[in-house]
Amino acid sequence: MKQIEKIGIVGSGTMGAGIAQLMIQYGYTVIIYDIDLETVDRAKAAIESRLDRLVQKNRASAQEIKEMKENLQTTADLSELHDCQLIIEAAPENIEIKRSIFRTLEEVCFKDTILATNTSSLSITEISGQIQTPKRVAGFHFFNPAPVMPLVEVVRGLKTSSETVETLVEFAKKIRKSPVVCKDTPGFIVNRVARPFYGEALKIMNDQVADVKQIDRIMKMAGNFKMGPFELQDLIGIDVNFAVTKSVHNSFYGEPRFRPHYLQERMVQAGSLGRKTKGGFFSYDT
Ligand SMILES: NC(=O)c1ccc[n+]([C@@H]2O[C@H](COP(=O)([O-])OP(=O)(O)OC[C@H]3O[C@@H](n4cnc5c(N)ncnc54)[C@H](O)[C@@H]3O)[C@@H](O)[C@H]2O)c1
């Protein structure tokens, strides 16, 4: 089994930052990349502020947090991830962006570095399709917020080796996650099950059967869901959720059950992406 000490994270948005935080909390050295230093340093500051809150809540000592912070590096140069044993890509849900990142990673990293993607829905086989060593590529799909949510889907592409899958499963257990190994199918398990949760909620709202607050409240009261479909879309990012819906719909050759709703597109066009823009289906001004 491969020994993992240093982890590279590609993309420092909602998921990249959450995964980086999780890894430094477990004592790993992490280097996080984004397209410019300003973006990645903003993510670092957000992670540090979340860590400081753990001291205020007496869930970690100031010394522990200091050590965690020292284990977090940032870069805007992908080649600086060359000495990582594991890389987790958390860039936008776009096949061309992801394929290009994997082509570069193959050039700059050790031959046996595990190259994982946090994609929610795209094909692992397609993401790794243009590189020489697809056996070391797998899905490693965390949920939001990554430091908190217990599940991680380990997705086996058609050419992923058993060793890669086993290493990720063992690693997930070390960071106290519950791994589930899945086949490389659109949306894997959770995001496929979840599509109608958002899609039907949008249709119900659009048909004026109930409004967003009512729908969320009913799902929490009757279904015992922790979050309603609108609150959850705001947390995920309406742009991210829309990209995932389009990807699952396309990958199932236009299966009507997974059809996106035009309102998702309108919200993206308006820049109302949810919590990250302080407004989506709900407002987060304060
Ligand atoms: N948001 C969620 O709840 C959630 C949950 C699980 C998985 N995911 C998946 O994780 C991935 C990232 O989602 P997110 O919500 O963190 O997105 P996000 O929009 O919050 O962050 C994406 C980051 O990638 C950066 N980026 C843009 N182009 C890049 C490039 N060429 N190379 C590297 N980085 C680049 C952006 O600057 C940004 O910081 C997606 O594949 C998404 O489907 C998201």
Side-chain angles (χ1 to χ4, degrees), residues 198-209 230 256-257 259 261:
Y198 310 114
E200 287 307 317
L202 284 157
K203 282 184 218 155
I204 288 168
M205 179 189 73
N206 214 40
D207 291 349
Q208 298 180 343
V209 178
F230 294 102
R257 281 181 299 148
R259 187 181 298 142
H261 197 281

Side-chain angles (χ1 to χ4, degrees), residues 13-38:
T14 309
M15 292 310 291
I19 297 167
Q21 179 186 334
L22 168 73
M23 299 308 174
I24 55 172
Q25 285 183 260
Y26 276 90
Y28 292 97
T29 300
V30 172
I31 178 161
I32 183 162
Y33 163 91
D34 211 302
I35 45 176
D36 55 55
L37 274 180
E38 197 190 335

